[in-house]
Every structure is written in structure tokens, then in C-alpha cells.
Amino acid sequence: MTDIPEQMNAVVIAGGKGNAQALHLDKVAAPEVRDGDLVIAVRAAGVNRPDVFQRVGLYPPPPGASETLGLEVAGEVMRAAGRWSVGDRVCALLGGGGYAQIATCDPRHALPVPRELTFEEAAGLPETVFTVFANVFQLGGLRRGETLLVHGASSGIGVTAIQMAKAAGATVIATSRGAAKADAAARLGADLSIDASKQDYVEAVKRHGGADVVLNMVGGDTFAKDLETLNTDGRIVFIAALGGAEVTLPIFTLMQKRAVVTGSTLRGRSADEKAALASEIERMVWPWIEDGRFKPVIDTVLPFARAAEAHERMEAGEHTGKIVLDVGAG
């Protein structure tokens, strides 16, 4: 068992909330370790859109979770729990606390770092893989031979959804803004990659046979368009609403298509729900990583102390894949 220091470096938000420049490194108390907690020496932490929302005061952590930003990490086990031993290489889904040198979690929410992956690559897996699996495969019920339409295809979620859907035997239609992003989605395996800044995607999707499942993180006026592209018995799954949280529902179109509209968040799920997800992901998705059908796409790795720059890049929306903090770099 490795001794846990009283203090550690962590990214804190000056004033409790603010713009990206409010983020800076500081000494804080190490996390309290409860009975049964897995303690991880963090080597890398993924940066996600919910971190930005929390930083500006729009997404508070659930009760009992760390106030420190960070929903996913990779590192080495410092204190054993569950099936894990000291020194094991793990990546983990957190309720918070990832932008720090030490993190704790339910041991059931950790997964082994796949062979050949770096800590930086593994740190970009948990939040996106859990989100895609829960929403595309569980809520959306995507099956082999069906077609997934995914918006924001160059985001961390987007690049993950493309690869996971292809690994599962689905056809993928991707939308993104800009030729470079559309090209990147095509290289990842999208069967049709649409530059939504140049053309309306509705007719293109319909010509390609329509969509059975839509993964939507945009909201706004994309909802009615998605419903147009949807095949009979199709499903639209919302995971965010970056383009507007209010939508107009064409009810007769929904009835005619027998469409299902649903959505979910991940962070507020119970520990048991997340544990069940982790078990299914290890069974189904980890073999795709091991055999090369799915590989983390890393846009940028920045030193821990440059978290502000990482958030600025996230907010600019120019990234393709994951933005990761190298915690060991200081």
C-alpha cells in the first residue's frame, strides 16, 4: 500500500467559477478515502465539455462528488480495492476530481488500461465510451446492419461513436463543420461524412437510406431535421443541447415514423448503474480496442499546468478527438 500524502497539486477555479483563465494549479488537500475506495495516482486526465459547464457554474457536481474538475483519468493504483492491486494500470470514470494528482473512485468504475495504450490515450476513454455505449447501444438500441447518424463527429464523443458503431457492424453517417473535420470523420470509418457548413444534411442522409439511430448533442433546429431523416421505428438520443435546449416537435411526423425520442446524462447515474455499464463495456468494447477496431483519437496533450489552454481549445471547437492533461508533466 502506498502512503497517501496530505496534500497534492490540483487544478482549481479562482473565485469558484469563471472563464478558462480562472483555472490554475494549487496545493489542496488529498481526497478523503472512504472504505472500499480505489485510490489512483493520476498520470493523465481527459478534458470534457461538462468540465467547461462546471467551470462556469452551470453543472455542479452531484452530492458527495469532488468539487475538483475532471470526470475521467488513467493512472496506477495506489491503494487496492475490489479486484485491483497496487500498481495496476487503470482508467476510471469519476464523479469529479480528475484534474489532480490523486483521485478516488468506486473500484467497479475502473477498467484495465488496454494493452499498447499510453496513459494519455486511456484517459480519453471512460467518459466518452460510457456515454456512447449507454446512449447509442442501450437507449438507442443500435444493431448490426442499422445506420447511425452522429452530429459533432470531430468531438471526443463523435470520434468514439463512429468507431464503436463501425466495430458493431453498423453504417455511420457523420456531420461536422468544415472540410478538414469531415475528412477526419471519413478516415475514421464514416460511410458518409457531411460538411454541414456546406450542405444541408437532411437530403444527403435520406439518399443514403436514412438513419435508424441519431446521436444528437446539438439540439435546436437539428431535432426536426433529424426526425425527417429517421427511418420507421427510428430513435433519436440526446446527450447535450449545445445549439439550443428548446425544440419544436412535429408530432404527426413522430407518429407516422413510430419514432422514439430519448436522452440521458451520465454523471448523475447511481454507482450500481455505472458499475453495470463498466462490466458491459469491458465485455463488449475492450476487445474492439485490443484488436485495433477502435483506437482513442487524441487531439492535444497539454501539461497539467496548462488546463486553461485546454479549456480554451475545447471552447473554440477546433479540436478533433480528445484533449488530455498530462498530470505527470506538472
Side-chain angles (χ1 to χ4, degrees):
M1 181 183 299
T2 304
D3 289 337
I4 299 172
E6 292 184 0
Q7 288 194 313
M8 64 178 182
N9 288 328
V11 174
V12 301
I13 309 169
K17 66 178 181 179
N19 61 24
Q21 290 303 314
L23 297 177
H24 65 280
L25 274 187
D26 204 350
K27 287 285 185 184
V28 302
E32 179 184 351
V33 180
R34 298 166 295 193
D35 287 344
D37 278 351
L38 184 69
V39 183
I40 302 169
V42 178
R43 304 303 183 202
V47 176
N48 293 282
R49 184 70 61 173
D51 302 339
V52 174
F53 293 153
Q54 181 176 335
R55 191 202 74 222
V56 299
L58 297 177
Y59 193 45
S66 171
E67 296 283 340
T68 300
L69 299 175
L71 301 176
E72 58 183 353
V73 298
E76 297 160 329
V77 172
M78 294 179 67
R79 181 169 294 182
R83 62 172 168 147
W84 306 107
S85 300
V86 172
D88 283 347
R89 287 161 43 93
V90 297
C91 56
L93 183 73
L94 310 178
Y99 293 15
Q101 290 179 310
I102 300 168
T104 64
C105 72
D106 185 319
R108 300 175 297 167
H109 302 167
L111 292 165
V113 172
R115 292 192 304 271
E116 309 302 327
L117 291 196
T118 65
F119 283 127
E120 290 78 15
E121 290 172 320
L125 289 173
E127 174 71 12
T128 49
V129 171
F130 276 65
T131 297
V132 171
F133 188 83
N135 289 282
V136 172
F137 292 94
Q138 291 189 329
L139 284 180
L142 183 69
R143 297 182 291 271
R144 177 177 293 275
E146 291 191 321
T147 295
L148 171 70
L149 169 61
V150 57
H151 296 301
S154 64
S155 67
I157 292 289
V159 300
T160 300
I162 291 169
Q163 293 185 85
M164 286 174 60
K166 291 300 296 180
T171 296
V172 176
I173 302 173
T175 75
S176 49
R177 302 192 69 81
K181 290 184 177 183
D183 288 345
R187 288 195 300 272
L188 285 170
D191 299 277
L192 175 64
S193 185
I194 300 167
D195 178 358
S197 68
K198 297 292 186 183
Q199 68 175 117
D200 183 84
Y201 66 87
V202 174
E203 291 306 315
V205 174
K206 289 164 73 173
R207 286 195 302 270
H208 207 75
D212 299 295
V213 179
V214 180
L215 183 63
N216 190 315
M217 61 194 85
V218 181
D221 64 2
T222 62
F223 173 66
K225 292 180 178 180
D226 286 350
L227 198 55
E228 265 194 79
T229 70
L230 209 61
N231 293 327
T232 302
D233 294 317
R235 293 83 71 192
I236 299 175
V237 188
F238 282 93
I239 57 169
L242 300 176
E246 301 293 329
V247 301
T248 300
L249 172 60
I251 193 70
F252 288 113
T253 305
L254 181 132
M255 293 165 60
Q256 290 161 358
K257 296 197 174 191
R258 300 196 298 268
V260 173
V261 180
T262 185
S264 75
T265 59
L266 179 63
R267 193 178 193 182
R269 292 182 182 226
S270 72
D272 286 346
E273 286 180 290
K274 292 176 183 176
L277 274 171
S279 179
E280 280 299 292
I281 286 165
E282 186 169 4
R283 180 188 68 81
M284 179 173 167
V285 181
W286 252 227
W288 296 341
I289 300 173
E290 297 286 2
D291 68 17
R293 282 182 283 174
F294 167 33
K295 183 175 175 60
V297 177
I298 304 300
D299 175 87
T300 309
V301 177
L302 291 168
F304 195 27
R306 292 166 62 186
E309 186 177 334
H311 274 228
E312 288 173 342
R313 184 159 181 80
M314 171 70 70
E315 290 176 296
E318 297 302 319
H319 59 291
T320 296
K322 295 289 297 200
I323 301 168
V324 176
L325 297 177
D326 180 353
V327 176

